[in-house]
Amino acid sequence: MKGNQGAMVLAPPSPPPANPVAQLQTRIKELETGFRAWLAKQPTAVEAAIVTATSAAQGAFIGALMGSLTSDASSALPTPPPNAPGLNPQAMASLKQAQAFAGGPLVQARNFAVMTGTNAGISCVMKRIRGAEDMQGSMAAAFGSGAMFSLVSGMGGPNQALNAVTSGLFFALVQGGLFKIGEKFSQPPADDVLYSGTKRMLTNLGLQNYEKNFKKGLLSDATLPLLTDSALRDVNIPPGPRLLILDHIQRNPELVKR
């Protein structure tokens, strides 16, 4: 009598179903990466035209949404007749500025499409010319978008050319300030540069909690080849992590060579 007769064979468990949302996000990210790679290989004029068109479409959607939310406010604004006697020019300019930001959906869609499209197009061209996205390119794009927004929206006084230059300068100064602020916060602190290798080593070993111990003892990247058990003990690192750190340093050919 065979012992394996009647034995039940269990099928391997089926893998859990894939998340359709995650798959869709991954697919969209792959398409976006591929599109950006293809766009970077195109001539400057082609890339600028595509970037301007796509950004203008996004701006038009945002403007239409904002216009639909502020349509009630725009209808409440008075519309004085042109060349009305005794009308204060400054009051007229303020009214036009309010109407520029409180127009209907179509008006706001046009304004934002021109502003965002101009900004994206100039940024694209400046990045190709200068080879990087810097503050000068961002300020030039902001100046162009501000000037075009002033022209299409009709905000300001009767001198449209002066108003366009003034709006462009205002947009450029604001963009320059925002760029410097973002640049300041995006840069790591100066002392972190001295501990980049140390941080990477501790992260690989799962000992990132002891990064503050290294900084407290001034054990920077330059001291890694010189580390000893007593030096690690002096900065209050337990025996187990000390052994892992010293073993990692001994197995690292670059650190051993240094």
Side-chain angles (χ1 to χ4, degrees):
M1 183 177 180
K2 296 182 180 180
N4 59 351
Q5 289 181 351
M8 182 180 296
V9 179
L10 297 178
S14 59
N19 188 353
V21 177
Q23 288 182 337
L24 180 60
Q25 292 177 345
T26 303
R27 181 58 178 168
I28 292 176
K29 189 174 182 180
E30 291 176 353
L31 292 175
E32 183 179 359
T33 303
F35 176 74
R36 290 182 181 275
W38 172 82
L39 194 61
K41 300 177 183 179
Q42 305 306 311
T44 304
V46 175
E47 182 182 9
I50 296 176
V51 169
T52 300
T54 54
S55 299
Q58 295 175 359
F61 175 77
I62 296 174
L65 181 61
M66 292 182 60
S68 62
L69 297 177
T70 59
S71 57
D72 295 336
S74 63
S75 60
L77 292 174
T79 55
N83 301 326
L87 185 63
N88 188 353
Q90 187 175 2
M92 184 66 177
S94 301
L95 179 60
K96 286 186 177 181
Q97 185 174 1
Q99 289 176 340
F101 287 98
L106 295 179
V107 174
Q108 292 297 337
R110 178 202 63 190
N111 295 347
F112 276 80
V114 171
M115 182 174 62
T116 56
T118 303
N119 189 289
I122 297 178
S123 296
C124 176
V125 174
M126 294 297 294
K127 186 177 180 180
R128 279 288 188 100
I129 293 175
R130 300 180 64 85
E133 187 175 354
D134 53 9
M135 186 177 68
Q136 289 79 2
S138 298
M139 292 182 67
F143 177 86
S145 62
M148 290 301 298
F149 178 80
S150 176
L151 292 175
V152 299
S153 63
M155 56 179 276
N159 194 341
Q160 293 187 355
L162 180 60
N163 294 329
V165 173
T166 304
S167 300
L169 290 175
F170 175 76
F171 275 56
L173 291 176
V174 172
Q175 179 63 29
L178 294 176
F179 189 92
K180 294 297 291 185
I181 293 174
E183 193 177 48
K184 181 179 179 180
F185 282 97
S186 63
Q187 290 180 350
D191 59 342
D192 284 357
V193 179
L194 303 176
Y195 297 92
S196 59
T198 302
K199 182 177 181 179
R200 185 165 55 251
M201 176 191 70
L202 294 176
T203 302
N204 293 336
L205 295 175
L207 304 175
Q208 56 269 20
N209 292 334
Y210 296 103
E211 182 182 353
K212 59 181 182 296
N213 300 65
F214 274 77
K215 290 184 178 181
K216 186 177 181 180
L218 300 180
L219 299 178
S220 62
D221 294 348
T223 65
L224 288 182
L226 308 174
L227 283 182
T228 60
D229 184 79
S230 60
L232 296 175
R233 185 169 58 248
D234 290 341
V235 294
N236 299 322
I237 296 180
R242 292 204 304 265
L243 293 174
L244 292 176
I245 293 171
L246 293 176
D247 180 70
H248 176 82
I249 294 174
Q250 292 175 0
R251 293 174 181 273
N252 192 320
E254 182 180 354
L255 293 178
V256 171
K257 184 178 179 180
R258 288 167 56 187

